[in-house]
Amino acid sequence: MLQKKRKPNTGTKNSIKRKLQISIAALSTIITLLFGTVNSIIVYRDARNNMHLRIQENTNAYNHSVENSILIYKTKIQAISKDNRIRITSSASQQLKNDLDQLAQENGFDSIVVCTPQGITSDGTDVSDREYFQKSTGGETYISSPLLSKTTGKMIMILSAPIKGDGSKGIVFARLSCDSFSKMITDISLGKSGYGFIVDKTGTVVAHKNQDNVNQQYNYIEAANTDSSISEAAKMVKNMTAGKSDIEEIHYKSNALTVGYAPIPNTDGWSMGVAAKTSELMQGFYISIVIMIIFIVAFLIIALISAMRIASPIVNPIIKMVERLELLSQGDLHTEVPEYVSDDEIGTLSTSLKYTVSSLRSIINDATTILDGVEKGDCTRTIESEYKADFIQLKTSINGIITNLNTIFGNFRNSINQISSGADQISSGAQLLASGTTEQAATVEELNASISNVAHHSEENVDTVSTVNEYVKQTGIELAKGNSYIQNLNQAMTEIGEASKQITNITKVIEDIAFQTNILALNAAIEAARAGEAGKGFAVVADEVRNLAVKVSEAAGETSSLLAHSSSLVENGETLSKETVEILKGLADKADFLGESMEKIRSASAEQVDAIQQVNTGLTQVSSVVQTNAATAEESSASSEELAAQAQAMKDEISWIQLMDENVSEKKQISDPADVIAEVTDLPGSPVKTEKY
């Protein structure tokens, strides 16, 4: 069955061109992504480090600025505390008020107030519960967090110091607007979103770009209890209140912030923080990432185009040759082989493929020419072309086939000639054989009739002998029965003799009893006589017993005489019965011998009958075989004539075949007709077998 032509597999996703292009593109992509990833990591680290450095620098700078401002304010309040115009009186005077206002104006404070050791200010306010009062009373110069003034009702900051001018123990404090420190940090410039803030030791905002946070005393830690969006900011403020310095990235109200913070020295737990949006600080990094992605995409596009341009000149010739090889695998030897002239492996592959297809085409053409000639009866052609490597075996095999065909057909022609000659001789012999077998059949029929007559007489003799044998067997059986009866009689006589002997013994016993009874009777008579009159009756009984004993003894004697006579008669009968048994036994043995002889005669006669029947059967078979041979001989004569005609037809059938050498066959010529018959028959002398060609 012809296979369906398969389409070349060159456009599938598994083609070498696609694999090469994908490999180049994948390699370029991996290298580009690796380079971009490493570069992104480096740029990110640099950008992050620069961001932290900027925040750290700004934090430290503004921290020092605020610290210096606080030192200045503290220096001013300390200088005011030593001014001679500061004095504590039991009541406020106009002169003290004017002096304090003048000092406040000179030093940039909103107002200056003195306070007694009991916490009563010069304007009549009790501040004994204020922290700044307690700190300064202890001798410390203190700056407070924003607080609500009891006097003015405004948010202010207090700078306080102990009064040392007149040796009193009171304090002086100056009121400062709560936005004073906020103004100090408004100049913080860290991008558009950057700002600074200050918190005290409790987390309350001291300074902020949004003054409302200061005015409202906003506390991050407390606000986180109700607003989870500032939880990260609250944790950071806790670190600030703990006096830590660090830079953290937090999420504050959906904004990602980077915050740097550090404690402010010479304050009561204040901490300075500088914050900015992370996205703004990392803007340069994001721009570099976008630029790098653009370059990566451009590089990948260039790599793909280059992969296509590099792969096509390499793979296209291979694809064409693969297509040609697939056509070759389907038996196509006529399509032209694509030719590529180059010094590399592709050129070698093209040349090798072209040579292979050309060689296969030449080999197939040679084989086709030879086989076409064989089809037309021309067995004179052979392959003369030079083949290489494994194709030499193909050439040798085809040429060997041609040589073998020449040998076979040459021998076949010689055999046909010999068969034709032998068929004529077989026909003559078959006619002679048919004549002889006809005469043999007549003779065998006569012999068969004679044997049948002898077999009939033998069967009659067997029947007669069988009848006599039956009579002899019956006589032997009757003698055996008589012998058995005589033996039983003999046994009975012996038993009677034994019984007579036993009766004789009993008789003797009776005589002994009678004798003893007589003696007892005598003794009884003697004893009765001795007894006198009293023993008379006993004497009569004893006399009767003695008489009875005498009679018994006489009867026993007579019985013994009769038994003796009977015993002698029984002995004579036993002797006669034994002699009769011997005579009958002899007759039985002779009858058995006569029966065995008659059986042997009967068996021999039966065997003669069987032998005659076998001879008769054999003659019948011989007669049948002879008749069959006669018929077979006639058929053989006809078959030999047909064989001769078939041999001539076969000779005519192959006469058109051309051989390289008509005398190529060196087969032995057979001249003896018997040898010819032996070649074309299975068994010598059997009917000739014919075959149809």
Side-chain angles (χ1 to χ4, degrees), residues 432-446 626 630:
L432 294 175
L433 181 63
S435 176
T437 51
T438 302
E439 295 177 359
Q440 289 179 356
T443 303
V444 168
E445 287 293 334
E446 295 177 356
V626 170

Side-chain angles (χ1 to χ4, degrees), residues 578-599:
K578 288 181 179 180
E579 291 177 357
T580 304
V581 167
E582 293 296 330
I583 293 170
L584 291 176
K585 186 176 181 181
L587 291 175
D589 292 337
K590 291 179 181 180
D592 291 338
F593 178 75
L594 180 60
E596 291 177 357
S597 298
M598 294 303 294
E599 180 64 25

Side-chain angles (χ1 to χ4, degrees), residues 32-46:
T32 303
L33 292 177
L34 181 62
F35 172 77
T37 302
V38 173
N39 186 56
S40 298
I41 293 172
I42 294 173
V43 172
Y44 174 76
R45 291 180 63 184
D46 290 342

Side-chain angles (χ1 to χ4, degrees), residues 444-445 618-630:
V444 168
E445 287 293 334
L619 289 174
T620 302
Q621 293 177 351
V622 169
S623 176
S624 176
V625 171
V626 170
Q627 293 176 359
T628 302
N629 287 340

